[in-house]
Amino acid sequence: MLKYLVLTLFVAIFAYLIRRDRVYVIPMILIIYSNINGLLGWEDFALKGAIKFQDYGFLIAISLLFFGLFQIRKQLPDYVTTLRKMPLYNAINVYWIYYVGLFIFSVLIQGSILWPVKMARVFFYGLIFYVICRELLPNPLAKFEKIINCLMVATIFFGLLYIAYNTLGWDIYPKGEHESFNLGYLVGEVKRNFSGFPMFAFYFIFLFTERLMTGKGSKLFNLSGLVILLLCLLFMLTRGTLILTVMMAGFLVVYRPLSLAMLTRLSVLAVLLLLALALVPYVAEGHYMAMMRRFDEFSNHGLASSSNFVFRINELERIIKNVMDFNPFFGFGFTVVWAFGYTSNLYHAGSADNGFSNLIGVTGFVGLAIFMVVISCWIIVNRKLQVLEGNDGYARVHFIFCIFMLGSFMNGASMSYMHTFALFIAYDLMAYAYRVHARQQSPKSTVATNCTVLSNKFMGQI
């Protein structure tokens, strides 16, 4: 019954939003990619063995791109010329050309199309990048603001549900717990669930931190959102991600000229967060104890000897060995690696626990190199956009998120799929082209206006 209610409300909300502005199709697809943030299972409303629930988001994105080819073309904004000349835009095009070629290669060596389709679909979810670009085209600054506000509300809502699951015992996620910790008679069992964790929690932790530092928006709303998502981070019980998130949030705080007003905000924010941290053992004693026990492994054995670190290193070494033996350039592609006599923890040759392992195993060293070129071009564009935006945009947050994304590769592979960051890279790309074009046009406009004024004065004298 719950899944029908979730889907009905989801469709009703976005039917209303899309009637107001078609740009809301972007958060709709992204939330579908998250299985409506874990409230639905992969097989809910799916075609068994063929289409999972997440795939409906991909089908919507592909349909929008396909039918867009047959629409009457309107005159494109002038800044598109600047956009198409940018190395980042062309690097992303090369990235997708490579993935299409890799898919064809996979079909040829697998001998069928079924398994390559199954293995490739999550990698191709990132084609939403082109849908995002098309929807942002009229005005990337204003359109992106609408998408972010929508995702912000959704992320806080999913965060509250995740907190309720962990503190009140709401059994709302069909996937169930990934792991559980028995902490004794008084505390009981603590469940660890990944499927319900808010998909964009990390991004909004950085965004709320940025807004608290700059004084933008409602201070109470920003602080409440930050506390909710930090609690979700604690409840996920992932040590490396917690450390990395706190480090990058701290770097975001100091990554700016610090004025007296900002230092005051920082002091107030630090006091409030310390108070909230002091209340955690009382609000979520079980999760606090479970996290402390997990950190004990670091103190007893060191980071390099922890079980997760050893497992990821061993997996990376095995994947590199397999790829070097099979095809170091293109990896195993979107094939079932067991069919070629190699061992893998997944059906394909990648990894769920390391982004670099995932890319090397599936796309080879060529694919990894292209991915890193895209990220390098993104960082260059982002740095330039920060200069143009100053404190008025999102570029600083996206820079921190990009660094966080690369760091998170050591703890999971989710960020190695483009759909997890397509929205942010698309914004930086288009906002930069939009602002550069506007700046190039402004001197001409000023000169033309001055000439008109002088001409009018001269004619008046005659």
Side-chain angles (χ1 to χ4, degrees), residues 47 154 237 289:
L47 300 177
L237 300 175
M289 289 179 61

Side-chain angles (χ1 to χ4, degrees), residues 203-216 222 226 249 251-256 262 265 269 386 389-398 400:
Y203 176 81
F204 285 107
I205 286 173
F206 301 140
L207 183 60
F208 286 138
T209 302
E210 172 72 7
R211 289 187 172 181
L212 286 168
M213 287 300 298
T214 56
K216 291 182 180 177
N222 292 332
L226 180 59
F251 180 53
L252 176 61
V253 167
V254 299
Y255 181 57
R256 69 188 72 246
M262 285 193 178
R265 294 190 195 106
L269 177 61
Q386 287 183 54
E389 281 190 344
N391 292 323
D392 297 328
Y394 293 90
R396 183 185 287 112
V397 174
H398 292 179
I400 298 299

